[in-house]
Amino acid sequence: MTAGALQRAIRRARQRAASVERCGMCAGPVGPEHRHVWDEQDAELMCACTPCSLLFEREAAGGGRYQLVPTEGRRLTGLSVDELGVPVGLVFFVKQRDGRVFAHYPSPLGTTESEIDAGVWGAAEARSPALAALKPRVEAFLVWTGTPRGGGQQWVVPVDDCFRLVALIRQNWAGMSGGSAVWREIPRFFDELGRRHHRPSGND
């Protein structure tokens, strides 16, 4: 998933917020709680109504173009990410279909990205079956190093959770350092992850 694709997804999400959201497959209206489908050809995320999302429950149903974003996430524990060279406190990693992995760093302007060295990522996968099983394009490894008082967390989440996080940062950022609002919202976001994806997991 490139930075350009992510920016387009965020821009479309803002546009949709001002109008009735519609299914990207059949153009029917969708409710506030709905699934998403990754469109490989256009490199974007599409909203999916319940009937359309059911069509893609089987992995091969999308014919190599469409892939249903999962709904389950899980928190990881006991995994060191020092070797991944995370330079900032908030980053998510997305695997491509060709095996490459990109780190995405949320910012008030969207995201910046960098490719992770294949050997470094391979070593991380060898220590963590959860990372080795990461679904290309539609799941992300999300890392938050926390605040000086603690709170660092690591998650495998549906990639649309990361889109929501980037949008939250853009909406709440103020000034050079972000302002107090964004630093309140980020812990709340992770609290919500804990409520929605409550199944704990070790490094497996």
Side-chain angles (χ1 to χ4, degrees):
M1 181 176 304
T2 65
L6 183 60
Q7 299 288 0
R8 290 196 299 274
I10 294 168
R11 184 170 60 252
R12 289 187 177 94
R14 290 201 305 268
Q15 292 170 346
R16 288 194 299 267
S19 61
V20 175
E21 289 192 289
R22 294 193 173 275
C23 176
M25 310 298 295
C26 70
V30 297
E33 298 295 329
H34 58 269
R35 304 287 297 273
H36 292 95
V37 171
W38 174 257
D39 182 344
E40 181 72 15
Q41 179 174 301
D42 293 336
E44 65 179 11
L45 244 132
M46 301 190 307
C47 298
C49 65
T50 299
C52 287
S53 64
L54 290 174
L55 294 175
F56 299 103
E57 286 285 357
R58 290 185 300 105
E59 191 159 337
R65 174 172 177 177
Y66 300 111
Q67 190 174 0
L68 186 66
V69 176
T71 58
E72 296 297 319
R74 58 199 180 278
R75 186 172 178 178
L76 305 184
T77 58
L79 176 62
S80 171
V81 295
D82 293 343
E83 295 85 351
L84 294 178
V86 177
V88 295
L90 195 60
V91 58
F92 60 95
F93 301 86
V94 180
K95 185 185 296 186
Q96 310 299 296
R97 288 193 174 182
D98 61 7
R100 293 180 301 155
V101 176
F102 286 87
H104 298 264
Y105 305 100
S107 78
L109 299 178
T111 63
T112 56
E113 71 169 27
S114 64
E115 186 172 354
I116 301 300
D117 179 85
V120 170
W121 183 261
E125 286 190 339
R127 296 192 302 274
S128 172
L131 293 189
L134 198 68
K135 295 179 180 178
R137 299 287 199 180
V138 294
E139 284 188 324
F141 174 44
L142 174 61
V143 177
W144 177 44
T145 58
T147 68
R149 297 181 181 179
Q153 299 184 26
Q154 300 171 12
W155 288 82
V156 170
V157 293
V159 74
D160 49 10
D161 278 336
C162 297
F163 290 162
R164 293 191 304 105
L165 176 59
V166 174
L168 179 150
I169 290 172
R170 293 186 60 136
Q171 290 164 5
N172 290 279
W173 192 277
M176 295 293 293
S177 64
S180 59
V182 72
W183 302 117
R184 288 194 303 268
E185 292 301 323
I186 290 173
R188 289 175 182 169
F189 173 88
F190 281 90
D191 286 345
E192 182 195 353
L193 282 186
R195 289 191 295 270
R196 290 194 296 113
H197 307 305
H198 60 275
R199 178 167 63 92
S201 174
N203 185 21
D204 56 9

